[in-house]
Amino acid sequence: MRRFDFVTLKLFVSIADEGRLTAAAEREHMALAAVSKRISDLESLVGTSLLYRRPRGVELTPAGHAFLHHARRILEDIERLQAELSEYGEGVRGHVRIHSNTSAIIAFLPQDLSAFSRLYPEIKIDLQERISSEVIAAVRDGLTDVGIFAGHVACDTLQLLPYRSDRLVLMTPRDHPLAERPSIFLHEATDHDFIGLQQDTSLQSLLHEQAGRAGKTLRMRIQVRSFDAICRMIHHGMGVGVLPEQTIYRDLGDLQLSSIPLSDAWARRELVIGVRQYDALPVIARHLVDHLTAPD
């Protein structure tokens, strides 16, 4: 048992998560041959098969399930050890990685990260913008310390903490037939052309899902990559669109737009912070999470 190493343990966990050696090799940035060799050596070392090889992937044997349980615990203990030791460094310095969806980056993070940087000027912040599903995957795979994403996106693998809430509004040109409405339900707007984000974003998925529940279909005329582009398309009469209220750019004052609150209960969204395990975070990442979740 002396030949166990953390690389092999992490690799085995990835194989269990992915169900295929090729996917695990890509996730761990290893050659497929090297993955196969490590697993074969591991099985020789423990004296039993850990995986069933199937035509479409692999499955864990009973021994494999037992090994996976202990491998996860060992890796979590190592993360916890690193977090504890980091507290003994010289001051609070280093860098913390954040992946966030667009809504949080536009509406909340500029102010929050600016205040955090004033408190901890020695900490470098690595912020990357991703769609919510990609944020969740990045946290799960250890590619980022902290993730911020839409709370309605399914996620049962991370520890979640509340961050902020936002409200969805319908944006129209000022001369649009709906522009004078004080509020509106989404299904009341589905007879009009919509401008939206790409199909794989959490917001777009939410809108299609809720329209479907009301027995309606969104008439997507144009799909773009940014909230700014949506606003400009609406300004030029190409359709209407749904945006988080606090992401509407204040510097788009030259655009002739109207904002109508959506009356649907689901239109008030929660943004959440996701981490693999708060107690195992490096101390600087815990400082950031504490700052982001502190009462205003």
Side-chain angles (χ1 to χ4, degrees):
M1 306 300 282
R2 292 173 298 177
R3 293 180 57 194
F4 279 164
D5 62 84
F6 298 129
V7 173
T8 301
L9 293 179
K10 191 168 183 291
L11 174 62
F12 189 82
V13 171
S14 293
I15 291 172
D17 288 343
E18 300 292 343
R20 294 185 301 121
L21 297 185
T22 52
E26 293 176 3
R27 176 168 157 178
E28 299 301 326
H29 307 290
M30 297 175 64
L32 180 58
V35 170
S36 298
K37 180 68 164 56
R38 277 186 176 270
I39 297 304
S40 295
D41 289 348
L42 177 61
E43 290 178 320
S44 297
L45 184 62
V46 300
T48 187
S49 295
L50 300 176
L51 299 173
Y52 294 121
R53 276 72 171 177
R54 309 293 193 195
R56 294 183 177 276
V58 295
E59 297 177 8
L60 299 184
T61 65
H65 281 288
F67 188 88
L68 175 65
H69 170 73
H70 290 286
R72 288 194 192 276
R73 289 190 60 181
I74 291 170
L75 293 173
E76 289 171 359
D77 286 342
I78 292 298
E79 287 188 359
R80 195 172 295 111
L81 173 62
Q82 291 173 332
E84 293 298 323
L85 290 180
S86 68
E87 297 181 1
Y88 293 93
E90 297 180 0
V92 182
R93 62 180 67 232
H95 81 281
V96 59
R97 302 167 300 170
I98 313 173
H99 284 201
S100 173
N101 69 358
T102 303
S103 296
I105 287 179
I106 294 174
F108 306 114
L109 284 178
Q111 309 93 301
D112 289 346
L113 295 183
S114 175
F116 180 77
S117 294
R118 289 194 296 272
L119 292 172
Y120 301 101
E122 298 298 322
I123 294 179
K124 177 184 176 183
I125 299 172
D126 177 8
L127 174 62
Q128 296 192 34
E129 182 177 351
R130 296 287 187 270
I131 63 174
S132 288
S133 58
E134 292 175 346
V135 173
I136 293 170
V139 177
R140 182 199 66 202
D141 295 344
L143 301 178
T144 187
D145 302 306
V146 179
I148 303 176
F149 48 92
H152 68 268
V153 180
C155 176
D156 57 5
T157 59
L158 303 180
Q159 183 176 350
L160 303 181
L161 300 166
Y163 177 45
R164 298 292 188 93
S165 61
D166 62 14
R167 182 176 67 168
L168 298 177
V169 298
L170 182 75
M171 301 297 297
T172 72
R174 285 188 185 170
D175 58 356
H176 193 273
L178 300 177
E180 298 302 320
R181 293 281 299 269
S183 63
I184 192 170
F185 288 93
L186 178 66
H187 71 266
E188 297 178 284
T190 52
D191 289 338
H192 301 271
D193 289 333
F194 270 73
I195 313 298
L197 295 172
Q198 292 176 302
Q199 201 68 30
D200 56 354
T201 63
S202 61
L203 174 57
Q204 203 61 33
S205 298
L206 175 66
L207 296 178
H208 281 288
E209 176 187 351
Q210 295 299 331
R213 288 184 177 183
K216 302 288 187 176
T217 301
L218 293 186
R219 290 167 33 181
M220 298 306 304
R221 186 175 188 183
I222 299 174
Q223 291 181 273
V224 294
R225 291 181 175 270
S226 71
F227 294 146
D228 174 70
I230 291 176
C231 288
R232 295 191 180 279
M233 290 289 181
I234 295 171
H235 166 73
H236 287 285
M238 300 300 292
V240 301
V242 174
L243 295 176
E245 185 175 35
Q246 296 198 56
T247 64
I248 301 169
Y249 293 97
R250 301 297 181 253
D251 59 355
L252 296 180
D254 59 318
L255 302 186
Q256 301 297 307
L257 301 174
S258 291
S259 171
I260 309 163
L262 286 180
S263 300
D264 305 88
W266 52 263
R268 179 162 290 279
R269 302 190 311 165
E270 300 300 321
L271 295 175
V272 297
I273 293 173
V275 297
R276 294 172 69 182
Q277 188 173 10
Y278 174 84
D279 291 338
L281 286 174
V283 64
I284 55 176
R286 292 208 305 269
H287 281 314
L288 175 63
V289 172
D290 290 345
H291 177 80
L292 294 177
T293 56
D296 293 336

